[in-house]
Amino acid sequence: MQRALLCIIFIVTGLPISFAQVQIRRAMTLMGSQFEITLVDQDSSIANSRIDQAVAEIERIENLISEWRSHTQIAEVNRNAGIKAVQVDRELLELTQRALYFSKISDGAFDISIAALDKVWRFDGSMEEKPSAVEIQKSIAHVGYQYIEIDSVHSTIFLKKPNMKIGFGSIGKGYAADRGRQLMQDLGVQAGMINASGDIASWGQQVNGKAWSIGVLNPFRSHKMIKVLKFHEHAVATSGSYEKYVEFDDVRYSHIIDPKTGYPATGVVSVTVYGPSAEFANGLSTSMMVLGVKEGRKLAKQFPKYKFIIIADNKRIYR
């Protein structure tokens, strides 16, 4: 997921003296990405202590769902692809079930088993040539959400095909933002914002009484905003092809892959979705990027609690 099209706007002047609160913001690297946690609390000491707790919760989630860390449960599931089912925590099982739900409603446009293509398409600067059609075809043979078997009774996940792999790069940060928000609310923190590299979950209001403001930038017009979102308890996520990509022969290939073809999705530059849950918004935005404008809008309109902004590669904006 790329997040450069979201701009957080903080306005913290004009604080009524009677509020006796502070607004603390801290940036850090978590889950391999830039996070920012902002809390409104009684004083800076309490706020910073709460941020430490939010960070610990996000690190706990990373140590559960990261496919890159060898000790995690999801790494164990991947190692046993085609061999045996692996027992996992109920939390991971349910996250996988929700991912499979997105696969079903998007007709496979969303698929966590796309992680099997991580050695074919690399967006870390190490790719020197475009993968061949044969390489891509071989790799997508290991992709398919229908081969992910869930046993709810025994809490196991089994990848039926050898060399399959699943990963939560698509919804993991949104889930972490949601969980961070829930933890802070449970601890009595009155307001705040968890920005998980652009997957944002907020609640309450800024210390000056104003709503949280998120600007959606236009990738075709530098520093121009398409819309400023203002909300209290809400979430927003953006999927885009505008920053994380590779180029071969003057053609740009996005990091968002169509699971059915193995090639980067085309036709849409970015999708911003906003509603109650960052995880759900992220699942929708990723699905819509792959489905394209027409089918993506059709999918999103099934969920009236969520709104969207689609920027197509012909520079048209759809809402």
Side-chain angles (χ1 to χ4, degrees):
M1 301 295 100
Q2 292 307 296
R3 313 302 178 193
L5 287 191
L6 295 181
C7 173
I8 300 176
I9 304 167
F10 289 104
I11 305 173
V12 294
T13 58
L15 170 64
I17 296 175
S18 60
F19 272 34
Q21 295 175 325
V22 296
Q23 183 165 312
I24 301 294
R25 182 167 75 242
R26 190 195 303 172
M28 69 287 293
T29 299
L30 296 166
M31 303 179 81
S33 300
Q34 186 70 18
F35 274 56
E36 193 172 75
I37 299 175
T38 305
L39 298 183
V40 177
D41 216 322
Q42 299 173 34
D43 59 50
S44 58
S45 177
I46 293 174
N48 276 301
S49 176
R50 295 301 190 222
I51 290 176
D52 289 341
Q53 290 174 282
V55 169
E57 172 67 358
I58 294 165
E59 289 177 335
R60 182 193 67 80
I61 291 169
E62 183 175 14
N63 282 315
L64 180 70
I65 70 172
S66 173
E67 72 266 31
W68 303 108
R69 296 187 174 186
S70 61
H71 66 276
T72 68
Q73 292 184 10
I74 208 66
E76 183 69 9
V77 169
N78 290 338
R79 278 193 294 270
N80 284 280
I83 301 171
K84 66 177 182 178
V86 174
Q87 190 170 45
V88 299
D89 289 354
R90 179 62 56 174
E91 179 181 9
L92 178 55
L93 188 86
E94 292 175 352
L95 181 62
T96 305
Q97 287 175 319
R98 294 196 297 275
L100 292 177
Y101 169 75
F102 272 109
S103 294
K104 292 170 185 174
I105 65 172
S106 68
D107 190 29
F110 181 97
D111 193 333
I112 56 173
S113 70
I114 199 71
L117 286 170
D118 62 357
K119 293 181 180 178
V120 178
W121 293 99
R122 301 184 305 280
F123 300 92
D124 58 1
S126 65
M127 285 192 73
E128 296 181 353
E129 59 182 9
K130 177 184 171 183
S132 69
V134 173
E135 288 176 306
I136 293 172
Q137 195 61 38
K138 284 182 178 179
S139 292
I140 61 171
H142 307 307
V143 175
Y145 71 93
Q146 62 270 32
Y147 301 110
I148 303 171
E149 184 177 273
I150 300 290
D151 184 337
S152 295
V153 175
H154 299 97
S155 194
T156 62
I157 301 174
F158 178 45
L159 307 183
K160 294 182 179 180
K161 286 189 171 186
N163 300 312
M164 277 190 75
K165 183 178 180 180
I166 58 176
F168 291 97
S170 50
I171 59 172
K173 294 182 182 67
Y175 175 64
D178 286 342
R179 286 293 308 147
R181 173 175 62 183
Q182 187 60 59
L183 174 62
M184 293 298 96
Q185 290 177 312
D186 291 346
L187 291 171
V189 179
Q190 296 181 23
M193 176 183 290
I194 311 293
N195 178 6
S197 191
D199 291 339
I200 298 168
S202 70
W203 72 102
Q205 59 191 20
Q206 294 190 70
V207 73
N208 61 357
K210 294 182 180 294
W212 302 103
S213 297
I214 308 294
V216 181
L217 302 177
N218 189 331
F220 298 111
R221 301 184 65 188
S222 180
H223 307 302
K224 297 291 184 179
M225 291 188 189
I226 294 171
K227 185 179 181 67
V228 176
L229 308 174
K230 295 185 177 183
F231 44 71
H232 294 95
E233 184 158 343
H234 223 51
V236 58
T238 291
S239 298
S241 63
Y242 43 83
E243 189 173 81
K244 194 173 182 180
Y245 58 86
V246 292
E247 283 188 356
F248 299 111
D249 300 323
D250 296 322
V251 177
R252 179 179 296 186
Y253 297 90
S254 160
H255 76 293
I256 297 179
I257 308 296
D258 184 335
K260 294 182 178 179
T261 66
Y263 285 90
T266 60
V268 177
V269 175
S270 77
V271 178
T272 297
V273 176
Y274 49 103
S277 162
E279 177 194 323
F280 199 94
N282 208 324
L284 270 183
S285 66
T286 302
S287 300
M288 294 166 72
M289 280 290 299
V290 175
L291 287 170
V293 174
K294 182 179 178 180
E295 293 302 316
R297 294 174 76 192
K298 189 184 298 184
L299 173 64
K301 287 179 178 179
Q302 296 178 34
F303 304 97
K305 291 183 178 180
Y306 291 83
K307 306 300 180 184
F308 61 87
I309 300 171
I310 300 175
I311 304 174
D313 59 8
N314 61 5
K315 299 185 181 182
R316 291 191 61 183
I317 299 171
Y318 301 84
R319 303 172 193 260

